[in-house]
Amino acid sequence: MASVAATIAFPSIAVYSGTKSAVDRMTRVGAMEAGKLGYGVRVNCIYPGLIPTDMGLQLANDIVKIGLAPDVNAAVGSVVEQTPLGKLAEVSDIADAAVFLCSNDARFITGIGLPVDGGMGM
């Protein structure tokens, strides 16, 4: 699981963004190796957008702490404003993408990061 933070510059989460960027690179390397070595597995990752879970709301709190928003609602609102679909992701959105990537419908997909971010990372 990567994150939209691997694809955009977002304040207060430099280390998190770096680790999620590493997941993206390892996905691509893993897909190349698995394919070339004939392992018969596909390697993909997902770039979720912000989800209103404890972890997602902690990000909003961090944005407030560093002074980029006056309160948590404003921090969340700024993320929603940056998202073309105009809302936060739901856990089921991410789960549906994972099920798709694991399905036979995705049998010829490998080495990708699938954005499930409402368009935020485009």
PDB file of all heavy atoms in Angstrom, residues 69-111:
ATOM      1  N   ALA A  69      -3.123  25.301   8.897  1.00  0.00           N
ATOM      2  CA  ALA A  69      -4.588  25.392   8.952  1.00  0.00           C
ATOM      3  C   ALA A  69      -4.962  25.782  10.379  1.00  0.00           C
ATOM      4  O   ALA A  69      -4.273  25.392  11.322  1.00  0.00           O
ATOM      5  CB  ALA A  69      -5.237  24.061   8.568  1.00  0.00           C
ATOM      6  N   PRO A  70      -6.055  26.532  10.538  1.00  0.00           N
ATOM      7  CA  PRO A  70      -6.441  26.967  11.884  1.00  0.00           C
ATOM      8  C   PRO A  70      -7.035  25.863  12.748  1.00  0.00           C
ATOM      9  O   PRO A  70      -6.960  25.921  13.974  1.00  0.00           O
ATOM     10  CB  PRO A  70      -7.464  28.074  11.623  1.00  0.00           C
ATOM     11  CG  PRO A  70      -8.016  27.771  10.261  1.00  0.00           C
ATOM     12  CD  PRO A  70      -6.906  27.123   9.499  1.00  0.00           C
ATOM     13  N   ASP A  71      -7.637  24.854  12.112  1.00  0.00           N
ATOM     14  CA  ASP A  71      -8.231  23.751  12.869  1.00  0.00           C
ATOM     15  C   ASP A  71      -8.344  22.518  11.966  1.00  0.00           C
ATOM     16  O   ASP A  71      -8.080  22.597  10.760  1.00  0.00           O
ATOM     17  CB  ASP A  71      -9.593  24.136  13.448  1.00  0.00           C
ATOM     18  CG  ASP A  71     -10.583  24.604  12.395  1.00  0.00           C
ATOM     19  OD1 ASP A  71     -10.712  23.933  11.340  1.00  0.00           O
ATOM     20  OD2 ASP A  71     -11.243  25.631  12.622  1.00  0.00           O
ATOM     21  N   VAL A  72      -8.728  21.404  12.563  1.00  0.00           N
ATOM     22  CA  VAL A  72      -8.800  20.139  11.839  1.00  0.00           C
ATOM     23  C   VAL A  72      -9.804  20.202  10.689  1.00  0.00           C
ATOM     24  O   VAL A  72      -9.537  19.707   9.591  1.00  0.00           O
ATOM     25  CB  VAL A  72      -9.128  18.970  12.799  1.00  0.00           C
ATOM     26  CG1 VAL A  72      -9.424  17.688  12.041  1.00  0.00           C
ATOM     27  CG2 VAL A  72      -7.974  18.748  13.768  1.00  0.00           C
ATOM     28  N   ASN A  73     -10.948  20.840  10.917  1.00  0.00           N
ATOM     29  CA  ASN A  73     -11.951  20.931   9.848  1.00  0.00           C
ATOM     30  C   ASN A  73     -11.405  21.690   8.644  1.00  0.00           C
ATOM     31  O   ASN A  73     -11.665  21.317   7.500  1.00  0.00           O
ATOM     32  CB  ASN A  73     -13.234  21.584  10.358  1.00  0.00           C
ATOM     33  CG  ASN A  73     -14.012  20.671  11.273  1.00  0.00           C
ATOM     34  OD1 ASN A  73     -13.904  19.453  11.191  1.00  0.00           O
ATOM     35  ND2 ASN A  73     -14.792  21.250  12.166  1.00  0.00           N
ATOM     36  N   ALA A  74     -10.652  22.742   8.892  1.00  0.00           N
ATOM     37  CA  ALA A  74     -10.056  23.501   7.789  1.00  0.00           C
ATOM     38  C   ALA A  74      -8.995  22.668   7.069  1.00  0.00           C
ATOM     39  O   ALA A  74      -8.891  22.719   5.838  1.00  0.00           O
ATOM     40  CB  ALA A  74      -9.449  24.795   8.310  1.00  0.00           C
ATOM     41  N   ALA A  75      -8.230  21.886   7.822  1.00  0.00           N
ATOM     42  CA  ALA A  75      -7.208  21.031   7.212  1.00  0.00           C
ATOM     43  C   ALA A  75      -7.857  19.988   6.313  1.00  0.00           C
ATOM     44  O   ALA A  75      -7.429  19.773   5.176  1.00  0.00           O
ATOM     45  CB  ALA A  75      -6.363  20.368   8.296  1.00  0.00           C
ATOM     46  N   VAL A  76      -8.891  19.338   6.813  1.00  0.00           N
ATOM     47  CA  VAL A  76      -9.612  18.345   6.001  1.00  0.00           C
ATOM     48  C   VAL A  76     -10.245  19.029   4.795  1.00  0.00           C
ATOM     49  O   VAL A  76     -10.198  18.522   3.674  1.00  0.00           O
ATOM     50  CB  VAL A  76     -10.670  17.595   6.850  1.00  0.00           C
ATOM     51  CG1 VAL A  76     -11.569  16.750   5.979  1.00  0.00           C
ATOM     52  CG2 VAL A  76      -9.982  16.730   7.908  1.00  0.00           C
ATOM     53  N   GLY A  77     -10.821  20.208   5.011  1.00  0.00           N
ATOM     54  CA  GLY A  77     -11.428  20.957   3.911  1.00  0.00           C
ATOM     55  C   GLY A  77     -10.439  21.282   2.808  1.00  0.00           C
ATOM     56  O   GLY A  77     -10.776  21.234   1.625  1.00  0.00           O
ATOM     57  N   SER A  78      -9.196  21.582   3.188  1.00  0.00           N
ATOM     58  CA  SER A  78      -8.187  21.889   2.171  1.00  0.00           C
ATOM     59  C   SER A  78      -7.857  20.661   1.337  1.00  0.00           C
ATOM     60  O   SER A  78      -7.607  20.770   0.136  1.00  0.00           O
ATOM     61  CB  SER A  78      -6.929  22.472   2.804  1.00  0.00           C
ATOM     62  OG  SER A  78      -6.204  21.493   3.515  1.00  0.00           O
ATOM     63  N   VAL A  79      -7.879  19.490   1.952  1.00  0.00           N
ATOM     64  CA  VAL A  79      -7.654  18.245   1.196  1.00  0.00           C
ATOM     65  C   VAL A  79      -8.822  18.006   0.247  1.00  0.00           C
ATOM     66  O   VAL A  79      -8.627  17.669  -0.922  1.00  0.00           O
ATOM     67  CB  VAL A  79      -7.449  17.046   2.145  1.00  0.00           C
ATOM     68  CG1 VAL A  79      -7.425  15.733   1.370  1.00  0.00           C
ATOM     69  CG2 VAL A  79      -6.169  17.212   2.949  1.00  0.00           C
ATOM     70  N   VAL A  80     -10.030  18.180   0.733  1.00  0.00           N
ATOM     71  CA  VAL A  80     -11.213  17.997  -0.111  1.00  0.00           C
ATOM     72  C   VAL A  80     -11.173  18.967  -1.296  1.00  0.00           C
ATOM     73  O   VAL A  80     -11.478  18.582  -2.425  1.00  0.00           O
ATOM     74  CB  VAL A  80     -12.509  18.162   0.714  1.00  0.00           C
ATOM     75  CG1 VAL A  80     -13.728  18.193  -0.189  1.00  0.00           C
ATOM     76  CG2 VAL A  80     -12.634  17.031   1.739  1.00  0.00           C
ATOM     77  N   GLU A  81     -10.740  20.208  -1.052  1.00  0.00           N
ATOM     78  CA  GLU A  81     -10.638  21.191  -2.133  1.00  0.00           C
ATOM     79  C   GLU A  81      -9.634  20.766  -3.205  1.00  0.00           C
ATOM     80  O   GLU A  81      -9.798  21.113  -4.371  1.00  0.00           O
ATOM     81  CB  GLU A  81     -10.242  22.557  -1.574  1.00  0.00           C
ATOM     82  CG  GLU A  81     -11.351  23.256  -0.833  1.00  0.00           C
ATOM     83  CD  GLU A  81     -10.883  24.562  -0.190  1.00  0.00           C
ATOM     84  OE1 GLU A  81      -9.783  25.046  -0.534  1.00  0.00           O
ATOM     85  OE2 GLU A  81     -11.619  25.074   0.660  1.00  0.00           O
ATOM     86  N   GLN A  82      -8.599  20.044  -2.815  1.00  0.00           N
ATOM     87  CA  GLN A  82      -7.580  19.580  -3.761  1.00  0.00           C
ATOM     88  C   GLN A  82      -7.991  18.309  -4.493  1.00  0.00           C
ATOM     89  O   GLN A  82      -7.256  17.826  -5.344  1.00  0.00           O
ATOM     90  CB  GLN A  82      -6.268  19.300  -3.026  1.00  0.00           C
ATOM     91  CG  GLN A  82      -5.626  20.517  -2.416  1.00  0.00           C
ATOM     92  CD  GLN A  82      -4.393  20.133  -1.627  1.00  0.00           C
ATOM     93  OE1 GLN A  82      -3.495  19.494  -2.142  1.00  0.00           O
ATOM     94  NE2 GLN A  82      -4.368  20.517  -0.367  1.00  0.00           N
ATOM     95  N   THR A  83      -9.142  17.764  -4.138  1.00  0.00           N
ATOM     96  CA  THR A  83      -9.605  16.504  -4.696  1.00  0.00           C
ATOM     97  C   THR A  83     -10.729  16.767  -5.693  1.00  0.00           C
ATOM     98  O   THR A  83     -11.809  17.216  -5.305  1.00  0.00           O
ATOM     99  CB  THR A  83     -10.108  15.573  -3.564  1.00  0.00           C
ATOM    100  OG1 THR A  83      -9.066  15.442  -2.589  1.00  0.00           O
ATOM    101  CG2 THR A  83     -10.483  14.207  -4.083  1.00  0.00           C
ATOM    102  N   PRO A  84     -10.499  16.509  -6.984  1.00  0.00           N
ATOM    103  CA  PRO A  84     -11.519  16.804  -7.987  1.00  0.00           C
ATOM    104  C   PRO A  84     -12.895  16.190  -7.704  1.00  0.00           C
ATOM    105  O   PRO A  84     -13.906  16.812  -8.022  1.00  0.00           O
ATOM    106  CB  PRO A  84     -10.918  16.254  -9.278  1.00  0.00           C
ATOM    107  CG  PRO A  84      -9.453  16.444  -9.090  1.00  0.00           C
ATOM    108  CD  PRO A  84      -9.235  16.119  -7.634  1.00  0.00           C
ATOM    109  N   LEU A  85     -12.947  15.013  -7.118  1.00  0.00           N
ATOM    110  CA  LEU A  85     -14.260  14.433  -6.812  1.00  0.00           C
ATOM    111  C   LEU A  85     -14.905  15.066  -5.580  1.00  0.00           C
ATOM    112  O   LEU A  85     -16.054  14.771  -5.261  1.00  0.00           O
ATOM    113  CB  LEU A  85     -14.164  12.912  -6.646  1.00  0.00           C
ATOM    114  CG  LEU A  85     -13.869  12.141  -7.934  1.00  0.00           C
ATOM    115  CD1 LEU A  85     -13.883  10.628  -7.685  1.00  0.00           C
ATOM    116  CD2 LEU A  85     -14.858  12.493  -9.039  1.00  0.00           C
ATOM    117  N   GLY A  86     -14.173  15.938  -4.875  1.00  0.00           N
ATOM    118  CA  GLY A  86     -14.751  16.748  -3.814  1.00  0.00           C
ATOM    119  C   GLY A  86     -15.128  16.029  -2.548  1.00  0.00           C
ATOM    120  O   GLY A  86     -16.010  16.483  -1.825  1.00  0.00           O
ATOM    121  N   LYS A  87     -14.452  14.938  -2.239  1.00  0.00           N
ATOM    122  CA  LYS A  87     -14.721  14.230  -0.983  1.00  0.00           C
ATOM    123  C   LYS A  87     -13.517  13.380  -0.619  1.00  0.00           C
ATOM    124  O   LYS A  87     -12.609  13.190  -1.435  1.00  0.00           O
ATOM    125  CB  LYS A  87     -15.976  13.364  -1.091  1.00  0.00           C
ATOM    126  CG  LYS A  87     -15.872  12.245  -2.104  1.00  0.00           C
ATOM    127  CD  LYS A  87     -17.141  11.414  -2.125  1.00  0.00           C
ATOM    128  CE  LYS A  87     -16.921  10.146  -2.933  1.00  0.00           C
ATOM    129  NZ  LYS A  87     -17.899   9.136  -2.645  1.00  0.00           N
ATOM    130  N   LEU A  88     -13.514  12.888   0.598  1.00  0.00           N
ATOM    131  CA  LEU A  88     -12.466  11.977   1.044  1.00  0.00           C
ATOM    132  C   LEU A  88     -12.784  10.560   0.595  1.00  0.00           C
ATOM    133  O   LEU A  88     -13.938  10.228   0.315  1.00  0.00           O
ATOM    134  CB  LEU A  88     -12.334  12.012   2.570  1.00  0.00           C
ATOM    135  CG  LEU A  88     -11.984  13.361   3.193  1.00  0.00           C
ATOM    136  CD1 LEU A  88     -11.894  13.223   4.703  1.00  0.00           C
ATOM    137  CD2 LEU A  88     -10.695  13.923   2.624  1.00  0.00           C
ATOM    138  N   ALA A  89     -11.754   9.741   0.555  1.00  0.00           N
ATOM    139  CA  ALA A  89     -11.945   8.326   0.224  1.00  0.00           C
ATOM    140  C   ALA A  89     -12.603   7.597   1.393  1.00  0.00           C
ATOM    141  O   ALA A  89     -12.553   8.051   2.535  1.00  0.00           O
ATOM    142  CB  ALA A  89     -10.596   7.680  -0.083  1.00  0.00           C
ATOM    143  N   GLU A  90     -13.195   6.471   1.078  1.00  0.00           N
ATOM    144  CA  GLU A  90     -13.723   5.575   2.102  1.00  0.00           C
ATOM    145  C   GLU A  90     -12.894   4.299   2.073  1.00  0.00           C
ATOM    146  O   GLU A  90     -12.325   3.940   1.032  1.00  0.00           O
ATOM    147  CB  GLU A  90     -15.186   5.255   1.822  1.00  0.00           C
ATOM    148  CG  GLU A  90     -16.089   6.469   1.893  1.00  0.00           C
ATOM    149  CD  GLU A  90     -17.546   6.137   1.572  1.00  0.00           C
ATOM    150  OE1 GLU A  90     -17.927   4.945   1.623  1.00  0.00           O
ATOM    151  OE2 GLU A  90     -18.287   7.072   1.271  1.00  0.00           O
ATOM    152  N   VAL A  91     -12.823   3.614   3.184  1.00  0.00           N
ATOM    153  CA  VAL A  91     -12.059   2.368   3.258  1.00  0.00           C
ATOM    154  C   VAL A  91     -12.516   1.402   2.165  1.00  0.00           C
ATOM    155  O   VAL A  91     -11.698   0.745   1.514  1.00  0.00           O
ATOM    156  CB  VAL A  91     -12.189   1.729   4.663  1.00  0.00           C
ATOM    157  CG1 VAL A  91     -11.567   0.346   4.694  1.00  0.00           C
ATOM    158  CG2 VAL A  91     -11.550   2.633   5.717  1.00  0.00           C
ATOM    159  N   SER A  92     -13.805   1.348   1.898  1.00  0.00           N
ATOM    160  CA  SER A  92     -14.328   0.423   0.880  1.00  0.00           C
ATOM    161  C   SER A  92     -13.822   0.780  -0.525  1.00  0.00           C
ATOM    162  O   SER A  92     -13.670  -0.115  -1.366  1.00  0.00           O
ATOM    163  CB  SER A  92     -15.857   0.394   0.902  1.00  0.00           C
ATOM    164  OG  SER A  92     -16.386   1.673   0.615  1.00  0.00           O
ATOM    165  N   ASP A  93     -13.538   2.051  -0.785  1.00  0.00           N
ATOM    166  CA  ASP A  93     -12.976   2.433  -2.085  1.00  0.00           C
ATOM    167  C   ASP A  93     -11.623   1.761  -2.299  1.00  0.00           C
ATOM    168  O   ASP A  93     -11.321   1.264  -3.385  1.00  0.00           O
ATOM    169  CB  ASP A  93     -12.795   3.952  -2.178  1.00  0.00           C
ATOM    170  CG  ASP A  93     -14.100   4.727  -2.103  1.00  0.00           C
ATOM    171  OD1 ASP A  93     -15.119   4.230  -2.634  1.00  0.00           O
ATOM    172  OD2 ASP A  93     -14.094   5.821  -1.516  1.00  0.00           O
ATOM    173  N   ILE A  94     -10.832   1.748  -1.263  1.00  0.00           N
ATOM    174  CA  ILE A  94      -9.497   1.159  -1.343  1.00  0.00           C
ATOM    175  C   ILE A  94      -9.611  -0.360  -1.426  1.00  0.00           C
ATOM    176  O   ILE A  94      -8.922  -1.015  -2.213  1.00  0.00           O
ATOM    177  CB  ILE A  94      -8.637   1.575  -0.134  1.00  0.00           C
ATOM    178  CG1 ILE A  94      -8.706   3.082   0.128  1.00  0.00           C
ATOM    179  CG2 ILE A  94      -7.207   1.076  -0.293  1.00  0.00           C
ATOM    180  CD1 ILE A  94      -8.501   3.981  -1.058  1.00  0.00           C
ATOM    181  N   ALA A  95     -10.497  -0.927  -0.639  1.00  0.00           N
ATOM    182  CA  ALA A  95     -10.699  -2.379  -0.657  1.00  0.00           C
ATOM    183  C   ALA A  95     -11.162  -2.852  -2.032  1.00  0.00           C
ATOM    184  O   ALA A  95     -10.674  -3.876  -2.542  1.00  0.00           O
ATOM    185  CB  ALA A  95     -11.709  -2.786   0.413  1.00  0.00           C
ATOM    186  N   ASP A  96     -12.066  -2.115  -2.657  1.00  0.00           N
ATOM    187  CA  ASP A  96     -12.543  -2.498  -3.988  1.00  0.00           C
ATOM    188  C   ASP A  96     -11.405  -2.495  -5.007  1.00  0.00           C
ATOM    189  O   ASP A  96     -11.328  -3.372  -5.871  1.00  0.00           O
ATOM    190  CB  ASP A  96     -13.654  -1.550  -4.455  1.00  0.00           C
ATOM    191  CG  ASP A  96     -14.952  -1.734  -3.687  1.00  0.00           C
ATOM    192  OD1 ASP A  96     -15.112  -2.751  -2.987  1.00  0.00           O
ATOM    193  OD2 ASP A  96     -15.812  -0.828  -3.797  1.00  0.00           O
ATOM    194  N   ALA A  97     -10.514  -1.515  -4.909  1.00  0.00           N
ATOM    195  CA  ALA A  97      -9.366  -1.463  -5.826  1.00  0.00           C
ATOM    196  C   ALA A  97      -8.438  -2.645  -5.594  1.00  0.00           C
ATOM    197  O   ALA A  97      -7.933  -3.251  -6.553  1.00  0.00           O
ATOM    198  CB  ALA A  97      -8.612  -0.149  -5.645  1.00  0.00           C
ATOM    199  N   ALA A  98      -8.226  -3.013  -4.335  1.00  0.00           N
ATOM    200  CA  ALA A  98      -7.365  -4.158  -4.020  1.00  0.00           C
ATOM    201  C   ALA A  98      -7.972  -5.452  -4.556  1.00  0.00           C
ATOM    202  O   ALA A  98      -7.268  -6.293  -5.131  1.00  0.00           O
ATOM    203  CB  ALA A  98      -7.144  -4.255  -2.511  1.00  0.00           C
ATOM    204  N   VAL A  99      -9.275  -5.609  -4.394  1.00  0.00           N
ATOM    205  CA  VAL A  99      -9.948  -6.803  -4.910  1.00  0.00           C
ATOM    206  C   VAL A  99      -9.800  -6.868  -6.425  1.00  0.00           C
ATOM    207  O   VAL A  99      -9.504  -7.927  -6.989  1.00  0.00           O
ATOM    208  CB  VAL A  99     -11.436  -6.831  -4.485  1.00  0.00           C
ATOM    209  CG1 VAL A  99     -12.215  -7.899  -5.241  1.00  0.00           C
ATOM    210  CG2 VAL A  99     -11.545  -7.064  -2.982  1.00  0.00           C
ATOM    211  N   PHE A 100      -9.964  -5.727  -7.097  1.00  0.00           N
ATOM    212  CA  PHE A 100      -9.792  -5.700  -8.548  1.00  0.00           C
ATOM    213  C   PHE A 100      -8.388  -6.149  -8.927  1.00  0.00           C
ATOM    214  O   PHE A 100      -8.213  -7.003  -9.807  1.00  0.00           O
ATOM    215  CB  PHE A 100     -10.062  -4.303  -9.115  1.00  0.00           C
ATOM    216  CG  PHE A 100      -9.569  -4.157 -10.523  1.00  0.00           C
ATOM    217  CD1 PHE A 100     -10.203  -4.817 -11.568  1.00  0.00           C
ATOM    218  CD2 PHE A 100      -8.445  -3.397 -10.804  1.00  0.00           C
ATOM    219  CE1 PHE A 100      -9.723  -4.718 -12.874  1.00  0.00           C
ATOM    220  CE2 PHE A 100      -7.962  -3.287 -12.101  1.00  0.00           C
ATOM    221  CZ  PHE A 100      -8.607  -3.953 -13.138  1.00  0.00           C
ATOM    222  N   LEU A 101      -7.363  -5.576  -8.288  1.00  0.00           N
ATOM    223  CA  LEU A 101      -5.990  -5.931  -8.648  1.00  0.00           C
ATOM    224  C   LEU A 101      -5.674  -7.402  -8.377  1.00  0.00           C
ATOM    225  O   LEU A 101      -4.808  -7.979  -9.039  1.00  0.00           O
ATOM    226  CB  LEU A 101      -4.985  -5.028  -7.920  1.00  0.00           C
ATOM    227  CG  LEU A 101      -4.892  -3.602  -8.452  1.00  0.00           C
ATOM    228  CD1 LEU A 101      -3.966  -2.765  -7.566  1.00  0.00           C
ATOM    229  CD2 LEU A 101      -4.429  -3.572  -9.906  1.00  0.00           C
ATOM    230  N   CYS A 102      -6.366  -7.989  -7.438  1.00  0.00           N
ATOM    231  CA  CYS A 102      -6.158  -9.414  -7.131  1.00  0.00           C
ATOM    232  C   CYS A 102      -6.983 -10.330  -8.036  1.00  0.00           C
ATOM    233  O   CYS A 102      -6.767 -11.536  -8.050  1.00  0.00           O
ATOM    234  CB  CYS A 102      -6.513  -9.701  -5.678  1.00  0.00           C
ATOM    235  SG  CYS A 102      -5.380  -8.941  -4.501  1.00  0.00           S
ATOM    236  N   SER A 103      -7.898  -9.755  -8.781  1.00  0.00           N
ATOM    237  CA  SER A 103      -8.819 -10.559  -9.588  1.00  0.00           C
ATOM    238  C   SER A 103      -8.213 -10.938 -10.936  1.00  0.00           C
ATOM    239  O   SER A 103      -7.222 -10.359 -11.391  1.00  0.00           O
ATOM    240  CB  SER A 103     -10.127  -9.791  -9.824  1.00  0.00           C
ATOM    241  OG  SER A 103      -9.940  -8.785 -10.809  1.00  0.00           O
ATOM    242  N   ASN A 104      -8.858 -11.868 -11.580  1.00  0.00           N
ATOM    243  CA  ASN A 104      -8.457 -12.279 -12.916  1.00  0.00           C
ATOM    244  C   ASN A 104      -8.683 -11.159 -13.940  1.00  0.00           C
ATOM    245  O   ASN A 104      -8.055 -11.150 -14.998  1.00  0.00           O
ATOM    246  CB  ASN A 104      -9.211 -13.553 -13.323  1.00  0.00           C
ATOM    247  CG  ASN A 104      -8.514 -14.284 -14.443  1.00  0.00           C
ATOM    248  OD1 ASN A 104      -7.291 -14.407 -14.457  1.00  0.00           O
ATOM    249  ND2 ASN A 104      -9.287 -14.771 -15.404  1.00  0.00           N
ATOM    250  N   ASP A 105      -9.551 -10.220 -13.622  1.00  0.00           N
ATOM    251  CA  ASP A 105      -9.770  -9.073 -14.513  1.00  0.00           C
ATOM    252  C   ASP A 105      -8.505  -8.229 -14.654  1.00  0.00           C
ATOM    253  O   ASP A 105      -8.363  -7.485 -15.626  1.00  0.00           O
ATOM    254  CB  ASP A 105     -10.904  -8.192 -13.999  1.00  0.00           C
ATOM    255  CG  ASP A 105     -12.265  -8.861 -14.119  1.00  0.00           C
ATOM    256  OD1 ASP A 105     -12.418  -9.781 -14.949  1.00  0.00           O
ATOM    257  OD2 ASP A 105     -13.166  -8.465 -13.365  1.00  0.00           O
ATOM    258  N   ALA A 106      -7.595  -8.336 -13.699  1.00  0.00           N
ATOM    259  CA  ALA A 106      -6.343  -7.573 -13.724  1.00  0.00           C
ATOM    260  C   ALA A 106      -5.144  -8.468 -14.068  1.00  0.00           C
ATOM    261  O   ALA A 106      -4.012  -8.126 -13.777  1.00  0.00           O
ATOM    262  CB  ALA A 106      -6.127  -6.898 -12.380  1.00  0.00           C
ATOM    263  N   ARG A 107      -5.404  -9.577 -14.728  1.00  0.00           N
ATOM    264  CA  ARG A 107      -4.366 -10.590 -14.967  1.00  0.00           C
ATOM    265  C   ARG A 107      -3.178 -10.104 -15.783  1.00  0.00           C
ATOM    266  O   ARG A 107      -2.115 -10.690 -15.729  1.00  0.00           O
ATOM    267  CB  ARG A 107      -4.970 -11.825 -15.613  1.00  0.00           C
ATOM    268  CG  ARG A 107      -5.495 -11.606 -17.020  1.00  0.00           C
ATOM    269  CD  ARG A 107      -6.254 -12.841 -17.568  1.00  0.00           C
ATOM    270  NE  ARG A 107      -7.065 -12.486 -18.712  1.00  0.00           N
ATOM    271  CZ  ARG A 107      -8.286 -11.963 -18.651  1.00  0.00           C
ATOM    272  NH1 ARG A 107      -8.858 -11.761 -17.485  1.00  0.00           N
ATOM    273  NH2 ARG A 107      -8.942 -11.649 -19.744  1.00  0.00           N
ATOM    274  N   PHE A 108      -3.317  -9.013 -16.536  1.00  0.00           N
ATOM    275  CA  PHE A 108      -2.217  -8.509 -17.354  1.00  0.00           C
ATOM    276  C   PHE A 108      -1.761  -7.134 -16.861  1.00  0.00           C
ATOM    277  O   PHE A 108      -1.226  -6.327 -17.605  1.00  0.00           O
ATOM    278  CB  PHE A 108      -2.628  -8.457 -18.835  1.00  0.00           C
ATOM    279  CG  PHE A 108      -1.459  -8.520 -19.775  1.00  0.00           C
ATOM    280  CD1 PHE A 108      -0.640  -9.634 -19.824  1.00  0.00           C
ATOM    281  CD2 PHE A 108      -1.172  -7.460 -20.615  1.00  0.00           C
ATOM    282  CE1 PHE A 108       0.451  -9.690 -20.683  1.00  0.00           C
ATOM    283  CE2 PHE A 108      -0.091  -7.503 -21.491  1.00  0.00           C
ATOM    284  CZ  PHE A 108       0.728  -8.623 -21.519  1.00  0.00           C
ATOM    285  N   ILE A 109      -1.975  -6.884 -15.575  1.00  0.00           N
ATOM    286  CA  ILE A 109      -1.556  -5.621 -14.970  1.00  0.00           C
ATOM    287  C   ILE A 109      -0.486  -5.936 -13.929  1.00  0.00           C
ATOM    288  O   ILE A 109      -0.725  -6.698 -12.994  1.00  0.00           O
ATOM    289  CB  ILE A 109      -2.745  -4.895 -14.302  1.00  0.00           C
ATOM    290  CG1 ILE A 109      -3.811  -4.549 -15.337  1.00  0.00           C
ATOM    291  CG2 ILE A 109      -2.264  -3.648 -13.570  1.00  0.00           C
ATOM    292  CD1 ILE A 109      -5.084  -3.980 -14.747  1.00  0.00           C
ATOM    293  N   THR A 110       0.681  -5.359 -14.115  1.00  0.00           N
ATOM    294  CA  THR A 110       1.756  -5.505 -13.131  1.00  0.00           C
ATOM    295  C   THR A 110       2.646  -4.269 -13.172  1.00  0.00           C
ATOM    296  O   THR A 110       2.753  -3.606 -14.204  1.00  0.00           O
ATOM    297  CB  THR A 110       2.573  -6.793 -13.357  1.00  0.00           C
ATOM    298  OG1 THR A 110       3.386  -7.050 -12.203  1.00  0.00           O
ATOM    299  CG2 THR A 110       3.434  -6.730 -14.602  1.00  0.00           C
ATOM    300  N   GLY A 111       3.224  -3.958 -12.037  1.00  0.00           N
ATOM    301  CA  GLY A 111       4.159  -2.840 -11.949  1.00  0.00           C
ATOM    302  C   GLY A 111       3.523  -1.474 -11.893  1.00  0.00           C
ATOM    303  O   GLY A 111       4.171  -0.478 -12.174  1.00  0.00           O
TER     304      GLY A 111
END
